[in-house]
Amino acid sequence: MALARLKSDFVSNVSHELRTPLALIRLYAETLELGRISTKEKKQEYYRIIRKESERLTALINNILDFSRIEAGHKEYEFRTTDIADLVRNTLDSYRYQIEQQGFAFEESIDPDLPPVRVDREAIARALVNLVNNALKYSAEEKLLGVKLYRVNGSVRLEVVDHGIGITPREQSKIFEKFYRTGDPLVHNTKGSGLGLSLVRHITLAHGGQIDVESTPGKGSKFTLSLPLQAATARPANATAV
Ligand code: ADP
């Protein structure tokens, strides 16, 4: 019964999540098409919204596709030797504007001397994007986003910190389950399908790594993704991580 309810919530959450960017893209494209926008700045702003919302749609659809591949046991990771500092910096680059636009203070600290790591680049970028998006979505008064990349003995750690609504100790173990969303009112008023963190966990485990959360309700959260430095060994595609 509980799973059936989760599934039906999921379908309705996903539909809502897809509908918002689509509606915005249509609205702004139609307004531009009518030719009534006179200033160059306004036009530029509308183009930016259209691009940003299409990116949101793409990220969302990629999450859903990844999720269905994982569920079907078809998800495969492609490990390549990677400059992880570069990967993290490039991924954050496409978010910098959005982060500042939303009024967030952004603290970034990336160790430039990290050794190469074997990772699936797209997957690690997706994990980071999901963590960053959550930090942005689940912050209220105090808007701070911190991203740190550093080395601890045999592993590389990627940390995403916020000063947002936080997660109760009881819910901290559940948020990595598929479809799970916490009971916080802000969460209910924020779009989401409860897939992001289950993907982050699957991706991390496939790299032989570990994902941890430290959080205090009303104070904020810290997610730490830890990857082993020696060649990551892929788990079978149907690893039961989700
Ligand atoms: P979604 O954001 O689509 O609901 P996720 O799987 O990414 O799904 O997250 C699951 C739940 O964990 C969220 O619904 C939210 O309740 C909680 N959560 C995730 N990240 C944070 C965060 N940074 N701060 C507070 N709560 C969070």
Side-chain angles (χ1 to χ4, degrees):
M1 286 283 280
L3 188 64
R5 197 175 55 241
L6 277 179
K7 278 192 175 161
S8 105
D9 284 353
F10 166 72
V11 171
S12 111
N13 286 340
V14 164
S15 315
H16 274 294
E17 225 184 335
L18 289 171
R19 220 169 6 188
T20 317
L22 268 179
L24 285 173
I25 290 167
R26 202 165 92 196
L27 174 73
Y28 284 97
E30 279 172 4
T31 313
L32 284 166
E33 199 180 17
L34 287 173
R36 294 213 192 110
I37 311 298
S38 48
T39 70
K40 198 165 163 243
E41 288 74 37
K42 257 277 153 314
K43 274 190 194 155
Q44 236 20 65
E45 186 193 333
Y46 284 20
Y47 290 137
R48 211 165 31 231
I49 292 171
I50 291 173
R51 184 184 48 78
K52 206 186 76 199
E53 292 303 318
S54 344
E55 280 172 6
R56 219 151 69 110
L57 262 185
T58 307
L60 206 69
I61 290 168
N62 281 338
N63 264 358
I64 296 167
L65 285 178
D66 246 12
F67 173 72
S68 76
R69 279 189 206 111
I70 288 170
E71 288 285 282
H74 292 152
K75 174 68 189 168
E76 281 176 18
Y77 291 93
E78 206 183 300
F79 294 90
R80 285 192 287 166
T81 305
T82 302
D83 178 340
I84 185 125
D86 242 21
L87 176 67
V88 167
R89 224 177 283 115
N90 290 339
T91 308
L92 290 172
D93 273 345
S94 30
Y95 274 83
R96 232 172 280 275
Y97 178 79
Q98 186 191 336
I99 293 165
E100 277 153 26
Q101 190 78 359
Q102 290 187 29
F104 276 79
F106 184 28
E107 290 174 3
E108 186 180 337
S109 151
I110 295 175
D111 181 347
D113 293 322
L114 294 169
V117 195
R118 275 182 70 75
V119 297
D120 180 312
R121 294 174 194 172
E122 207 183 310
I124 294 298
R126 190 163 303 155
L128 175 59
V129 165
N130 271 301
L131 293 175
V132 166
N133 270 335
N134 281 347
L136 300 181
K137 282 199 299 191
Y138 304 122
S139 290
E141 286 98 47
E142 203 181 329
K143 298 187 166 191
L144 175 125
L145 169 72
V147 177
K148 247 192 196 174
L149 182 72
Y150 57 97
R151 179 180 185 165
V152 176
N153 301 326
S155 64
V156 169
R157 289 201 185 151
L158 178 60
E159 233 176 64
V160 179
V161 174
D162 66 61
H163 287 181
I165 58 173
I167 304 153
T168 61
R170 199 178 53 83
E171 288 180 300
Q172 284 171 24
S173 56
K174 297 193 181 152
I175 51 173
F176 296 99
E177 290 167 14
K178 60 187 174 192
F179 310 140
Y180 190 84
R181 309 195 78 211
T182 63
D184 192 287
L186 178 72
V187 172
H188 280 267
N189 294 326
T190 307
K191 290 182 187 65
S193 40
L195 289 188
L197 287 181
S198 72
L199 289 176
V200 171
R201 185 171 70 165
H202 195 277
I203 290 166
T204 311
L205 294 182
H207 285 75
Q210 190 179 320
I211 177 85
D212 295 296
V213 61
E214 282 168 47
S215 185
T216 311
K219 290 249 182 317
S221 310
K222 175 163 91 181
F223 286 85
T224 309
L225 197 163
S226 183
L227 297 175
L229 270 173
Q230 71 277 26
T233 38
R235 291 195 167 192
N238 61 355
T240 53
V242 165

